[in-house]
């Protein structure tokens, strides 16, 4: 049986990942130029509100569970070269899918049904983001 503290720690890592992604996508949209850049901006700008929703939900839940929500973003590489940049985005989205799936199972073990379902939905959101990034990467 996993403990509440362990789950709070995991959710705080997820929250740091979300802050990092919000910053990364905002930065990458700002730096995107040209025709491909315009496409990229459109996709990334659609994803930012999803990630902000995730960050807000995690902050609420961590606080409700008695934890202190982090405001430190996960680190990322500031490359603006299209391919390595998108490869990094894809890798991080896939990592987030794994983490949300893992933490959803922990929430289930602790009997936290709403959290379990919500984390599963967030894993599905990240999975969709990964699919969209993969589609652009295939065309490069
Ligand atoms: Fe997210
Ligand atoms: Fe995402």
């Amino acid at each position: 049986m996993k403990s509440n503290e362990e789950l709070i720690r995991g959710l705080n890592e997820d929250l740091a990942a979300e802050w990092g992604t919000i910053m990364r996508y905002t930065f990458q949209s700002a730096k995107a130029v040209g025709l491909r850049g315009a496409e990229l901006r459109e996709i990334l700008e659609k994803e930012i509100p999803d990630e902000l929703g995730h960050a807000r939900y995690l902050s609420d839940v961590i606080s409700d569970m008695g934890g202190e929500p982090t405001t430190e973003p996960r680190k990322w590489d500031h490359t603006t070269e299209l391919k390595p940049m998108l490869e990094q985005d894809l890798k991080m989205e896939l990592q987030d899918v794994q983490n949300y799936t893992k933490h959803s199972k922990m929430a289930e073990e602790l009997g936290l049904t709403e959290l379990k379902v919500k984390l599963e939905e967030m894993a599905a959101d990240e999975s969709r983001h990964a699919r969209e990034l993969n589609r652009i990467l295939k065309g490069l």
Side-chain angles (χ1 to χ4, degrees):
M1 189 61 143
K2 305 281 185 188
S3 69
N4 256 38
E5 288 68 36
E6 205 178 329
L7 183 53
I8 290 171
R9 231 183 352 259
L11 295 176
N12 248 330
E13 283 164 20
D14 296 338
L15 180 55
E18 293 292 349
W19 292 134
T21 301
I22 291 163
M23 292 174 74
R24 200 172 72 254
Y25 287 169
T26 304
F27 172 83
Q28 291 173 351
S29 301
K31 298 285 279 185
V33 290
L35 209 51
R36 263 190 182 148
E39 281 178 295
L40 187 66
R41 272 176 80 90
E42 210 175 298
I43 291 159
L44 294 180
E45 280 172 2
K46 256 195 304 183
E47 294 186 2
I48 293 167
D50 290 347
E51 313 300 18
L52 186 59
H54 297 165
R56 293 184 60 189
Y57 177 75
L58 289 170
S59 299
D60 283 350
V61 159
I62 291 164
S63 175
D64 290 344
M65 289 174 80
E68 188 68 15
T70 187
T71 53
E72 289 295 322
R74 171 176 65 185
K75 298 255 182 298
W76 85 95
D77 182 353
H78 286 57
T79 181
T80 50
E81 216 183 306
L82 201 55
K83 201 159 181 227
M85 184 180 101
L86 291 174
E87 280 167 350
Q88 173 179 235
D89 290 343
L90 177 60
K91 198 174 124 203
M92 287 186 158
E93 290 286 356
L94 291 173
Q95 207 178 323
D96 295 343
V97 173
Q98 279 189 356
N99 291 337
Y100 283 135
T101 305
K102 184 171 112 195
H103 297 147
S104 170
K105 286 192 184 121
M106 280 170 75
E108 187 175 26
E109 282 177 42
L110 291 166
L112 305 169
T113 307
E114 183 222 333
L115 183 58
K116 174 214 175 246
V117 171
K118 189 79 186 163
L119 290 174
E120 238 168 27
E121 283 171 13
M122 284 156 63
D125 288 343
E126 311 303 15
S127 192
R128 190 183 72 251
H129 296 161
R131 200 155 44 77
E132 281 166 1
L133 289 165
N134 214 4
R135 198 181 303 134
I136 319 175
L137 265 165
K138 274 187 195 163
L140 291 183

